[in-house]
Amino acid sequence: MYAALKSIGAYVPEKVLTNKDFESMVDTTDEWITKRTGIKERHIAADDELTSDMGVEAAKVAISRAGLEIDDIDMIVCATISPDYFCMPSTACVIASKLGRSNVTAFDISAACTGFIYALAVAKAFIESGMKKNVLIIGAEKLSAIVDYTDRTTCVLFGDGAGAAVISATEDKSEAITDIHISADGNYGDLLMTPGCGVKNPCSEKVVEEKLATMKMRGNETFKIAVRTLTSDVVNILQDNGIEAKDIKHFIPHQANYRIIKAVGDALQLAPEQVVLTVGKYGNTSSASIPMAMNDIWESGRLQQGDTMLLDAFGGGLTWGSALLPFAGKSAN
Ligand code: UT7
């Protein structure tokens, strides 16, 4: 039995925060943000809109596009670093409940921006082992809830949103997810972290005053490791599978920074039309960025059944990963 990606869906919250908006919030300019990151705007969830709510909306779209009902789903995996609740219940359990599905396997994955690729690997393993048939994987983030809007080095980067995909069992090898690499190096954990409200620095007045429950990043060091690691990772997955970069129809990288994406794309000598770019309009939405980008090209008709996709992500942990797979769902038109 093989595992195939049968559908994609996404949810983008309504409110937009532009670079210009940030000019009155912190010491920054539209020019700096655009030049250093490629970001022009990002979407921000409403106050009462939770990570699970966005995950539910994306999930409904993905389930319907797969031609399934919620009761056909036998496992729900949610990748997030901005869960509804600290520790429990998991956001996957909340999503299952809001979708009206009980008695289902449901759990979260914490692999930061690489979360969607980790979730894809877990779904593939469960399906290939015969344990599950239809796995719903979700990347959902309300990063605006864990951003320090007085820190110009991080606040301009992040946005909110969700993406979801249905991974199903198939006997057709041409539909199968070809390969997935996932990796981590915890020695670099302090480059990108939320130091507060865990067991090490339990929630306290000090944690609140010093904003320790918000994201802290040593951006420039992270940038250099990201470019190096992502490039070697995609080169390795292509070599391992005897595939040349020119045969990739869509390179769908994590959308953290246009310059990182360009550096990796150039190293692979990819043509601009092979590279999917949504960082300009969504910013960095962590685990949601790859499925949101995949959904964008599906809805615009660019992603067609059978197209070869190369996914690539890097994030806190540090974690990184890549995946090579055909799009096994129906085309939008
Ligand atoms: O998604 C998970 C993985 N995340 C990433 O991969 C992100 C990786 N890092 C990056 O994308 C980039 O490092 C950033 C976009 C975060 C920063 O760009 P950079 O070119 O690496 O800038 P920098 O950190 O070296 O800072 C250069 C200057 C500094 O000023 P000084 O010290 O040279 O005077 C910063 O204080 O830019 C300053 N700066 C800003 N200036 C205006 C930092 N943020 C801003 C800002 N507006 N928003």
Side-chain angles (χ1 to χ4, degrees):
M1 198 54 81
Y2 303 106
L5 189 146
K6 299 295 284 184
S7 70
I8 188 75
Y11 173 79
V12 184
E14 219 174 288
K15 184 179 164 190
V16 174
L17 208 51
T18 66
N19 290 352
K20 279 273 169 218
D21 294 330
F22 277 101
E23 290 183 355
S24 57
M25 294 162 67
V26 287
D27 180 15
T28 193
T29 58
D30 172 32
E31 191 196 351
W32 189 96
I33 303 169
T34 306
K35 205 165 143 198
R36 300 286 183 125
T37 70
I39 301 168
K40 292 300 286 183
E41 57 187 38
R42 65 292 289 145
H43 290 249
I44 303 294
D47 288 348
D48 60 353
E49 196 167 37
L50 307 180
T51 299
S52 61
D53 295 321
M54 294 186 280
V56 162
E57 293 310 315
K60 283 181 185 166
V61 176
I63 294 168
S64 144
R65 286 179 184 164
L68 299 176
E69 303 289 336
I70 180 60
D71 287 343
D72 299 319
I73 300 294
D74 48 17
M75 183 160 105
I76 300 175
V77 183
C78 181
T80 186
I81 52 163
S82 45
D84 285 8
Y85 299 103
F86 174 58
C87 298
M88 59 189 164
S90 72
T91 303
C93 283
V94 179
I95 289 173
S97 159
K98 287 180 177 174
L99 286 171
R101 182 78 169 97
S102 53
N103 200 11
V104 64
T105 307
F107 58 94
D108 285 359
I109 283 184
S110 174
C113 307
T114 321
F116 188 77
I117 297 182
Y118 269 68
L120 188 65
V122 169
K124 179 176 185 285
F126 268 85
I127 287 171
E128 286 177 353
S129 67
M131 288 175 72
K132 301 292 176 191
K133 283 197 172 62
N134 294 304
V135 180
L136 172 66
I137 63 171
I138 301 163
E141 304 286 5
K142 185 172 179 173
L143 298 178
S144 58
I146 55 166
V147 162
D148 173 0
Y149 281 101
T150 63
D151 174 11
R152 70 173 182 173
T153 68
T154 53
C155 70
V156 300
L157 304 173
F158 299 100
D160 300 335
V166 172
I167 317 300
S168 295
T170 178
E171 289 179 354
D172 180 352
K173 196 175 177 192
S174 73
E175 292 191 326
I177 295 170
T178 317
D179 198 7
I180 303 178
H181 290 181
I182 43 174
S183 204
D185 188 344
N187 292 311
Y188 294 102
D190 59 344
L191 287 186
L192 188 46
M193 68 186 325
T194 48
C197 282
V199 170
K200 182 160 181 184
N201 298 302
C203 289
S204 63
E205 268 176 40
K206 176 179 182 300
V207 165
V208 175
E209 269 163 28
E210 295 179 14
K211 300 189 170 129
L212 296 181
T214 59
M215 286 185 281
K216 315 286 175 201
M217 177 165 67
R218 304 219 301 267
N220 197 265
E221 287 165 77
T222 309
F223 184 99
K224 287 174 191 154
I225 302 175
V227 171
R228 200 173 60 235
T229 310
L230 288 172
T231 305
S232 64
D233 205 39
V234 284
V235 166
N236 287 342
I237 200 167
L238 291 178
Q239 270 175 6
D240 285 359
N241 292 280
I243 292 181
E244 291 187 46
K246 69 173 173 45
D247 299 323
I248 300 298
K249 184 82 181 182
H250 307 288
F251 173 50
I252 312 178
H254 169 48
Q255 308 282 322
N257 186 318
Y258 167 72
R259 292 186 294 138
I260 297 177
I261 297 171
K262 174 136 179 32
V264 179
D266 287 352
L268 288 181
Q269 296 185 306
L270 294 175
E273 59 272 19
Q274 289 174 284
V275 181
V276 178
L277 270 179
T278 53
V279 67
K281 59 179 183 175
Y282 300 143
N284 181 347
T285 57
S286 192
S287 67
S289 85
I290 287 179
M292 285 170 77
M294 196 187 293
N295 181 70
D296 253 50
I297 57 166
W298 187 85
E299 288 189 350
S300 70
R302 255 174 86 191
L303 178 60
Q304 298 279 316
Q305 191 164 25
D307 283 357
T308 304
M309 303 185 286
L310 174 63
L311 318 183
D312 192 15
F314 181 91
L318 295 177
T319 58
W320 61 92
S322 54
L324 199 52
L325 67 163
F327 181 67
K330 291 198 178 88
S331 311
N333 45 42

